[in-house]
Amino acid sequence: MPAIIQMNSQKVLAVNGLSKTFGSVVANRDVSLDLHRGEVLALLGENGAGKTTLMNMIFGHYMPDSGSVDIAAASGALTALSLGHPQAAIAAGIGMVHQHFVLVDDFTVLENIIVGTNSEKWTLDLEKSEDELRSICLEYGIDLKFNSLVRDLSVGEQQWVEILKSLYLDAEILILDEPTAVLTPEESKKLFNIIRKMSNNGISIIL
């Protein structure tokens, strides 16, 4: 059963009967859930229960065998999300931080964040991008040097890069897959402080 930490009345995401099998293995069967503005929703289950598969279906990495996902439009009305397409999820305001980070070791923090962003955010104005990122870091207490190479960062710092990338893309829903698995107790505490701040700012989180 999902564990709800905080929510308000505005529904931003509705998962309707998602199912996914891999050969004879049933990963998810008829999963439905609602996510509200500013809610932090934890998916609980042992390893192999299908949590990551469900997250990947919502984000578009996996195409479900059946079911649908609706997401709130700017008007607040729920509209169907195009499944099986991560770019559709990103365009709809969904970000995802995977358990195994999707970063380029030989790129700097700044390059990892701005390379591959959508066309509206893509810019060669590095000064403008850095100013925006500094503002986000200041708000959430994230300490990163933008000119550092990713290969020189700790695992915890690499996770901040992934989170910062989603915030830079104006994610309103953030999916975190096993976010504390690679963190020290102190880093986990910092992560939960960031999550609380995101929730207070109206960002909805699934973890």
Side-chain angles (χ1 to χ4, degrees):
M1 176 180 295
I4 298 174
I5 298 176
Q6 179 177 346
M7 61 177 285
N8 68 24
S9 60
Q10 184 183 0
K11 188 185 299 185
V12 296
L13 188 77
V15 173
N16 311 300
L18 288 189
S19 296
K20 182 67 177 177
T21 60
F22 297 95
S24 62
V25 177
V26 179
N28 293 127
R29 179 186 288 118
D30 195 25
V31 178
S32 297
L33 60 85
D34 292 336
L35 183 68
H36 295 78
R37 179 74 62 195
E39 178 180 6
V40 179
L41 187 150
L43 303 179
L44 304 180
E46 61 186 12
N47 288 340
K51 303 182 298 296
T52 296
T53 298
L54 178 61
M55 293 176 177
N56 277 317
M57 285 192 290
I58 295 172
F59 189 64
H61 279 307
Y62 293 161
M63 184 70 185
D65 299 330
S66 62
S68 63
V69 176
D70 296 328
I71 190 166
S75 64
L78 291 176
T79 60
L81 178 66
S82 178
L83 300 179
H85 303 285
Q87 287 301 324
I90 293 170
I94 301 175
M96 183 169 179
V97 176
H98 301 269
Q99 184 176 2
H100 303 290
F101 306 138
V102 186
L103 298 171
V104 181
D105 286 345
D106 291 330
F107 280 13
T108 66
V109 169
L110 180 61
E111 289 166 343
N112 267 279
I113 291 171
I114 66 172
V115 170
T117 57
N118 63 52
S119 58
E120 292 183 359
K121 296 291 291 189
W122 176 263
T123 175
L124 294 178
D125 190 341
L126 297 183
E127 184 176 349
K128 181 179 178 181
S129 295
E130 286 193 43
D131 287 344
E132 184 174 349
L133 288 167
R134 284 196 186 92
S135 178
I136 296 172
C137 287
L138 182 62
E139 181 172 7
Y140 290 102
I142 298 174
D143 184 18
L144 285 172
K145 293 181 174 62
F146 301 138
N147 62 348
S148 296
L149 294 177
V150 162
R151 66 168 179 244
D152 296 329
L153 302 181
S154 69
V155 174
E157 289 171 327
Q158 290 181 33
Q159 188 177 72
W160 309 143
V161 176
E162 290 278 24
I163 291 174
L164 192 55
K165 187 192 304 182
S166 290
L167 294 173
Y168 178 72
L169 287 172
D170 301 321
E172 297 182 0
I173 297 171
L174 184 59
I175 301 172
L176 302 171
D177 185 15
E178 300 283 355
T180 62
V182 296
L183 301 183
T184 65
E186 187 61 31
E187 288 171 332
S188 295
K189 182 178 178 180
K190 180 176 180 179
L191 173 64
F192 287 124
N193 286 335
I194 292 173
I195 287 173
R196 185 169 297 279
K197 290 178 182 178
M198 289 191 290
S199 172
N200 291 337
N201 286 340
I203 297 174
S204 307
I205 298 163
I206 299 175
L207 50 77

